[in-house]
Amino acid sequence: MKNKILLFALFLSISIYGQERYEPEILILAPFSVKYEKDFKEEISKINEKLKEYNNSLESTEYLNSPEFKNQPENIQRMVAAEIEYSKRSNFYNNTSLIAEQFLAYIFFEKFPNLLIELSNKKSNGTREDLEQLAKKKNLQYVLNFPSIRSFKKEGQSYTEVEFQLFDHKQDSILLQEKFIGNSTNPGFEFACEDQSVSCTLNNALSQGLNEILYIIASNSPSLKREKELSLLRYKELLYKHYQIGSKNDFTKEIITNSALRIDSDLYQTLINSDSTKFVAFYIKQGSKQNLKSLNDHNDDNNVTILTDKSLSDKEIFDIPQTYAFIIKGVKFENHWYLDKSNATYFEATNMDSAKKQYFNNLQNWNFFKENSTTFNKDFWNTKLFEKVPDLKKDPEWDEYGDNIWKTEEINNRDYIGLYEIVADNMIEDLEAENDSYEERAKKILQTKYDSLESSDSKNYTKISKHSLIFPKDKEYSLNPVLIEEENGKKTIRYFLLLNNSNAIYEWVYFVPKEVDTNYYGDKVVEQISSLTDWNFSVYNLNDENFWKEYVFKKENEKYIYLRKVN
């Protein structure tokens, strides 16, 4: 795990919470006793020098006085301030506590945005009385302590042993006291490190111990206990009131059979809305044994979830579970059914009956119930599985992200705003197929003209390299940016226009031919066209009527201003 202050980035945009207590509350102490053999001295000294340089470069004091910091909730301010103070005395072994804080904050934050994990330079010998006093003084439930850390060599291999202690102030007891030993192999993921380094020995020990800490704290969490109880009640509600095998399957079978979807799994459950214009159909099958490579070679799903109990150390980690399930969602729009296959999942199950129920239980994650309730949520049919295409310009963050990140998506969405995404996605898929078919035909017509120009005037048209076509949705005409290379080696960007009703070809001369010294000219085309309208090569169609009217087909005295007929 990288040794750097992460909380600045993690908590930049957090709304203020009003809870009086935080969850979880953890005080993390500095290591009490540290020992290492002389073989590690040089490596550890280099690490400490780098840490010293890095910490000196941080502008932490300025951040603590900034409006951005002062606008954060109190718990976040306490965490960041404590981390900054702790980092001032940072060294290789002290970073044990810093890594623990960053990892726990990272894991817990999504579920517990009101968490409080506070670093302290205080040390403890690990007696219950000492830990109790520290927890009481800070008014925090848990104290995570590292009574001892030891790096050593054994049979030529490097290891670090980290002793963990977790004290619970509410229960007035030590919940965990155990030593974990890590080797020098890079564990990857959150604890990635330079393979065979002393950092890896520490990270491997921490990865084991911190996962134990996570399990213990999560098991004691009042919120997670309530969530688990609610989940069980919801599961029973699904089985007893909504899980009715085969009751409505005939309705969806006919719709799906008449669609382009080819399904080789068994339909076992269907949910239909009150006016029969939407449905969710559940499919499942028991597949043959396969590994990750064979799945990748034969997979037809855009996205697949693989759920397995195997750990990274298991030899069979790349074997795929054999139970395969998915849903098909349907929306009826303008008397036509639009379908989408999604949520494909490979998972493990004891038998087919339990597998069906297990997958059906995913409805809990798909907004099927009202918040904190076992009551059916009527918004189920308009959220999660059935979301509509948004107007991105109305998003509160449009001013911040619109031009840089969402611009192309917003242009492509314009014709579909307010439609169900299932409907829009199907329409877009049809549009892209129509665009590809049209472009193939149009390019053949243009290529015939380009071949003629190269043959009849090879001095000025030694080589013509064409780019993708630019055309509106109705495909009445199209622009083709090309790179023309002359006999003397000069290369210029020019444009030809094809009128589809007559196959007439014109040169578009709004721009003076732009000379370039490369064969890669797409960015120059985007630069020119986007100076006149919102467009780039990722936009499905250029539908701006003003662009075509004012910059392409504009006339004066009944003659085109920017078009020259190509004979």
Side-chain angles (χ1 to χ4, degrees), residues 270-437:
T270 301
L271 299 177
I272 305 171
N273 73 333
S274 59
D275 63 1
S276 299
T277 58
K278 301 188 193 84
F279 70 81
V280 182
F282 291 74
Y283 286 80
I284 198 166
K285 75 171 182 178
Q286 194 70 19
S288 57
K289 190 173 182 179
Q290 60 180 332
N291 57 29
L292 197 58
K293 183 181 183 304
S294 59
L295 172 64
N296 187 59
D297 291 342
H298 302 98
N299 178 47
D300 293 326
D301 297 301
N302 292 327
N303 296 291
V304 173
T305 299
I306 300 172
L307 303 177
T308 179
D309 294 332
K310 297 182 177 67
S311 68
L312 290 172
S313 59
D314 289 335
K315 291 182 179 180
E316 298 178 343
I317 181 61
F318 295 114
D319 289 345
I320 305 301
Q322 292 176 253
T323 305
Y324 171 68
F326 58 88
I327 58 172
I328 293 179
K329 303 171 288 184
V331 173
K332 192 175 186 180
F333 177 71
E334 294 184 347
N335 210 34
H336 178 77
W337 279 101
Y338 293 87
L339 309 179
D340 177 52
K341 178 187 175 187
S342 68
N343 299 86
T345 307
Y346 288 89
F347 60 101
E348 296 165 345
T350 54
N351 55 60
M352 185 54 69
D353 181 59
S354 65
K356 290 176 179 180
K357 294 173 182 176
Q358 184 178 333
Y359 187 74
F360 189 70
N361 194 41
N362 278 311
L363 285 166
Q364 289 200 43
N365 304 319
W366 297 337
N367 210 28
F368 189 80
F369 295 101
K370 290 183 178 179
E371 188 174 356
N372 298 321
S373 170
T374 58
T375 303
F376 172 67
N377 180 15
K378 292 181 180 178
D379 287 337
F380 168 74
W381 295 106
N382 290 295
T383 56
K384 287 287 188 179
L385 300 182
F386 296 95
E387 290 184 339
K388 293 184 177 182
V389 178
D391 184 348
L392 291 175
K393 285 190 172 181
K394 293 181 179 178
D395 191 288
E397 296 182 322
W398 173 259
D399 290 340
E400 185 174 357
Y401 300 112
D403 284 339
N404 296 325
I405 301 176
W406 298 340
K407 190 171 186 177
T408 300
E409 185 181 357
E410 188 279 326
I411 295 171
N412 286 334
N413 280 357
R414 286 175 188 172
D415 289 345
Y416 309 100
I417 291 172
L419 293 179
Y420 287 102
E421 289 183 353
I422 297 171
V423 176
D425 289 344
N426 275 267
M427 288 181 170
I428 289 169
E429 189 175 323
D430 291 342
L431 175 66
E432 289 179 322
E434 292 168 6
N435 283 350
D436 290 343
S437 177

Side-chain angles (χ1 to χ4, degrees), residues 13-28:
S13 302
I14 303 173
S15 56
I16 296 176
Y17 294 83
Q19 293 92 332
E20 293 181 3
R21 296 295 298 181
Y22 304 112
E23 185 185 2
E25 302 171 335
I26 310 171
L27 176 65
I28 302 180

Side-chain angles (χ1 to χ4, degrees), residues 494-512:
R494 290 160 69 177
Y495 298 83
F496 290 95
L497 177 87
L498 172 66
L499 293 180
N500 296 318
N501 59 351
S502 63
N503 287 349
I505 297 174
Y506 294 79
E507 182 171 3
W508 183 48
V509 295
Y510 181 87
F511 295 109
V512 175

